[in-house]
Amino acid sequence: QGQLVESGGGLVQAGGSLRLSCTTSGSSFSIITMSWYRQAPGKQRELVARITNIGTTNYADSVKGRFAISRDSAKNTVYLQMNSLKPEDTAVYYCKAVALRLGAPYDYWGQGTQVSVSS
């Protein structure tokens, strides 16, 4: 079906910004939703932001007003713009696409990219 390739992670100071990118290989036609998750050491993976194929977005309460998810269908890419970063945002961030495979939804995951925010 394809794969997701993430980039854009790094180390920033609190209050700084990063923009994560996730590029899909293969057709974007079958994609239903794309999401960003994050996982800090010793913690469960949590949903950060999600965007549907009709443009509906939702965010974790902890990132509302600071993060923005967007999608560029022509480039088969989803972005996560992260502003006003806090140390508690430090985690590995994963891109996930939900796409149809043989008519059924299937989850595709990126490899993850590290985001570290220093105080």
Side-chain angles (χ1 to χ4, degrees):
Q1 270 287 314
Q3 62 179 358
L4 309 180
V5 180
E6 298 169 309
S7 63
L11 173 64
V12 298
Q13 289 187 320
S17 298
L18 285 173
R19 189 192 194 197
L20 306 183
S21 300
C22 174
T23 299
T24 65
S25 61
S27 177
S28 62
F29 171 76
S30 65
I31 296 174
I32 301 170
T33 65
M34 298 193 75
S35 303
W36 287 96
Y37 288 74
R38 67 186 181 188
Q39 187 169 25
K43 300 188 68 177
Q44 295 290 101
R45 189 171 298 184
E46 64 173 342
L47 176 67
V48 176
R50 174 180 289 147
I51 185 167
T52 73
N53 58 353
I54 60 171
T56 303
T57 60
N58 61 276
Y59 299 90
D61 287 342
S62 59
V63 307
K64 286 180 179 177
R66 300 188 297 119
F67 291 9
I69 188 170
S70 61
R71 187 167 63 193
D72 187 334
S73 297
K75 296 181 179 180
N76 300 122
T77 300
V78 64
Y79 303 96
L80 184 67
Q81 178 66 47
M82 304 184 294
N83 299 322
S84 302
L85 283 162
K86 304 174 180 180
E88 50 262 46
D89 296 318
T90 295
V92 177
Y93 284 71
Y94 298 89
C95 178
K96 186 187 82 171
V98 180
L100 294 177
R101 188 169 73 179
L102 301 177
Y106 188 85
D107 294 347
Y108 298 85
W109 289 90
Q111 80 285 357
T113 184
Q114 177 71 46
V115 172
S116 298
V117 185
S118 64
S119 59

